[in-house]
Amino acid sequence: AQKFAETIMTTDTRPKLASVRAKVGKKEFSLLGIAKGAGMIHPQMATMLVYLMTDIAAPAGKLRLLLKAAVDDSFNCLSIDGDTSTNDTALLLASGQSGLGITKQFATALHQVCQSLAEQIVGDGEGVKHVIHLYVDEAKTRAEALHIAKAIAHSLLVKTAWAGADPNWGRILSTIGSCGIAVDPDKIDITIGKQTVFQKGSVRPFDEKRAHAELSEPSCDVRVRLRRGKGKVRFLTTDLTAEYVHINADYST
């Protein structure tokens, strides 16, 4: 598995693997995931290869439904640079050797493995210094929350602010306002790290040095609350650094 993971690497700096082994009654199933991806990463998956292998026994149609649900919450909620290609693949292969069918434990394991691989991909993004866990809460629908999350994640001004660990809530707010959804700024909260920096139409006094320090960490949470409904999404994204430009300026196919 390690050699296979290394073989499919391109601009990746490290192989990406995740696995689960679990018992259901007296039987046991295993699930192994191997992925590659470091650039041109944006839903729907883009230049990403994901191979999921298990020994459960299940028809292709049911596996496809499970895979779609797991991918929607992981690889389709992930963006490094907003670019795509035609070369995306996610395969779920089942040998049937365990004699076990689909169970809740397997569905949970599939989500865990896909989420782990998504985290590994975004953490190994080209030139990435900061991984952002972006939460959009209380949108009208999940689709609306995802639309707003993508707009924030793909804003060059937002991404470069994150590269400088700059808690620039104004860039986030202006991106929300220009994304095509009629949000009410008087209902919006923006939280960076552990501090709410904008609340219901007004900037809140906050410790800028602390916010800068939190954004300077390898990983930081950014949360947007819209007060429009119950739709929400967790989205993985990154900063945009000079190293990313150098990698792609020098890379030739």
Side-chain angles (χ1 to χ4, degrees):
Q2 181 76 18
K3 288 184 178 180
F4 176 74
E6 292 171 355
T7 299
I8 62 175
M9 291 166 57
T10 50
T11 56
D12 304 59
T13 66
R14 52 187 178 269
K16 299 166 180 65
L17 303 95
S19 63
V20 171
R21 186 182 298 272
K23 276 192 172 183
V24 180
K26 294 182 179 180
K27 294 183 178 181
E28 187 177 67
F29 74 84
S30 60
L31 172 64
L32 170 66
I34 298 173
K36 87 96 184 171
M40 295 183 76
I41 301 297
H42 159 59
Q44 310 283 341
M45 296 190 294
T47 313
M48 183 186 303
L49 301 178
V50 180
Y51 302 99
L52 301 155
M53 292 156 278
T54 182
D55 54 7
I56 72 162
K62 291 186 177 180
L63 289 174
R64 188 176 296 111
L65 290 174
L66 284 179
L67 179 60
K68 184 181 185 305
V71 165
D72 281 347
D73 285 338
S74 55
F75 305 119
N76 283 342
C77 283
L78 163 65
S79 181
I80 290 173
D81 49 18
D83 250 317
T84 61
S85 82
T86 57
N87 304 324
D88 60 306
T89 299
L91 294 177
L92 175 56
L93 308 173
S95 70
Q97 291 183 346
S98 71
L100 277 169
I102 292 174
T103 62
K104 289 183 179 179
Q105 291 93 327
F106 176 76
T108 298
L110 184 60
H111 275 77
Q112 289 174 344
V113 167
C114 288
Q115 191 61 48
S116 173
L117 293 173
E119 294 269 3
Q120 292 178 57
I121 288 169
V122 76
D124 192 31
E126 291 174 348
V128 167
K129 301 299 182 186
H130 308 105
V131 172
I132 302 297
H133 293 80
L134 176 61
Y135 298 85
V136 178
D137 298 328
E138 296 185 23
K140 280 191 176 180
T141 64
R142 183 183 183 276
E144 182 178 277
L146 185 59
H147 177 87
I148 291 172
K150 288 180 182 180
I152 296 169
H154 298 153
S155 165
L156 298 184
L157 287 176
V158 172
K159 292 174 83 67
T160 49
W162 289 337
D166 176 12
N168 193 323
W169 57 267
R171 292 185 182 182
I172 297 172
L173 185 64
S174 64
T175 300
I176 297 169
S178 63
C179 74
I181 294 173
V183 296
D184 183 349
D186 290 335
K187 294 182 178 180
I188 294 175
D189 295 352
I190 298 174
T191 301
I192 297 175
K194 295 181 180 179
Q195 299 185 87
T196 297
V197 299
F198 183 87
Q199 187 172 42
K200 294 184 178 180
S202 299
V203 62
R204 285 190 61 181
F206 67 98
D207 186 336
E208 292 189 27
K209 289 185 178 179
R210 179 185 172 191
H212 174 80
E214 289 179 322
L215 278 170
S216 297
E217 293 293 324
S219 177
C220 184
D221 291 352
V222 174
R223 188 177 295 272
V224 173
R225 183 182 180 190
L226 300 170
R227 292 188 175 88
R228 287 168 58 82
K230 296 182 179 180
K232 62 181 180 178
V233 73
R234 174 182 180 269
F235 199 87
L236 291 172
T237 190
T238 67
D239 56 1
L240 182 65
T241 65
E243 186 179 349
Y244 175 88
V245 177
H246 290 311
I247 290 169
N248 286 282
D250 297 338
Y251 183 83
S252 175
T253 55

